[in-house]
Amino acid sequence: ASTSSSWLFVVAAWGMHQARRGGVVGGAAPAARRNVVLIILDDLRPELPGVAYNCSEVVAPAMASLAASSVAFRRAYAQEALCAPSRNSFLSGRRPDETRAWQFVDDFREVGPDWTTLPGAFKRAGYETVGAGKVFHPGLPPAWDMPYSWDDRMNNSVWEPWLYPSEPECPGRTSYCAVAVDDDEEDPSQFEDTQTSAQLAKLLANVTAPYFLAAGFRKPHLQWRFPSRYWPATAGAGTSPHKFAPIDAPR
């Protein structure tokens, strides 16, 4: 469970494939529908290098590259200081006072059994909706909101079931540890997010356009377990004050 009040959400529209749409309106050629990728990072403060947040302490060159051609929303805040109710809120498009989900017990389906979620809206629009990792909080709603939000093949054993990965604990259950892995033969099972990435690659190999892909990465949620080769890039970086805290927020 997460108690952080910050997430990073990235919505990227990918035009890698032409979507098939029936009919021609007014003699115009059918419009192509872009593929959509939703990336969710758990417990990440709004701090990244580059134009998004200009935080040089963070080493994330790929995210900085993406941000260079993106729109950054610097006054977007989590709906709750807890993981499950915030995910129930933004994925259903309703505030917690309407979802009635404020903790790790209830979910929005209890009050809105026919509500359409963000991925569900794309599914109804003819997109293939797939995903892996921590998108909804585990069990809230049940079964990752199958079959309402996701492609039916993820719910009837045609494809592998929803992947929510796990990883070995750090020695002594410490909050972080560096793990020695071979640079060229990295074992995806060693880390939660590498398992999620591998599963997303499988899904991408099977979906056809247009698709909605949800990538739920659990880091930087504790524990911080990472390949040891990245340690020199982060050692001694320390922490920086929150640059975008709400005005007059209690400290």
Side-chain angles (χ1 to χ4, degrees):
S2 162
T3 56
S4 171
S5 59
S6 298
W7 278 264
L8 178 81
F9 311 104
V10 180
V11 179
W14 287 5
M16 296 188 298
H17 303 285
Q18 296 295 315
R20 296 185 299 273
R21 300 182 66 179
V24 176
V25 179
R33 290 192 290 178
R34 293 180 182 272
N35 300 318
V36 177
V37 178
L38 172 66
I39 305 172
I40 306 173
L41 308 182
D42 201 355
D43 280 8
L44 177 67
R45 296 199 317 194
E47 294 187 351
L48 286 170
V51 297
Y53 301 111
N54 195 30
C55 183
S56 59
E57 296 91 343
V58 176
V59 181
M63 294 302 294
S65 177
L66 176 62
S69 59
S70 304
V71 175
F73 298 91
R74 296 183 175 88
R75 296 297 300 274
Y77 304 107
Q79 293 85 336
E80 286 266 352
L82 290 169
C83 178
S86 284
R87 292 169 187 266
N88 268 253
S89 178
F90 77 78
L91 287 168
S92 71
R94 291 167 170 84
R95 296 180 185 276
D97 58 355
E98 190 172 357
T99 65
R100 315 302 291 177
W102 294 295
Q103 26 37 20
F104 295 97
V105 176
D106 301 311
D107 67 84
F108 71 89
R109 285 293 177 207
E110 298 172 33
V111 295
D114 59 346
W115 288 357
T116 300
T117 63
L118 174 61
F122 281 94
K123 181 179 180 181
R124 293 178 63 179
Y127 280 66
E128 294 191 2
T129 54
V130 297
K134 192 174 182 181
V135 180
F136 289 105
H137 188 85
L140 299 171
W144 308 103
D145 205 38
M146 299 286 183
Y148 310 106
S149 291
W150 309 105
D151 192 291
D152 293 340
R153 287 168 291 184
M154 299 193 72
N155 190 51
N156 60 11
S157 300
V158 174
W159 290 348
E160 295 178 19
W162 189 278
L163 173 75
Y164 185 72
S166 61
E167 65 183 12
E169 290 185 350
C170 288
R173 302 192 68 179
T174 58
S175 59
Y176 68 93
C177 59
V179 180
V181 292
D182 187 273
D183 288 0
D184 299 317
E185 300 292 337
E186 186 170 305
D187 181 3
S189 66
Q190 286 290 320
F191 307 100
E192 293 172 317
D193 288 346
T194 53
Q195 294 172 56
T196 298
S197 295
Q199 182 69 3
L200 292 168
K202 291 181 182 180
L203 291 168
L204 281 173
N206 286 282
V207 295
T208 55
Y211 61 77
F212 175 95
L213 176 75
F217 295 110
R218 197 162 179 268
K219 294 297 185 284
H221 188 293
L222 291 174
Q223 61 181 357
W224 296 334
R225 189 172 185 278
F226 55 93
S228 57
R229 65 179 179 275
Y230 294 122
W231 180 254
T234 57
T239 58
S240 58
H242 202 307
K243 299 177 182 179
F244 299 98
I247 298 173
D248 298 326
R251 297 182 180 276

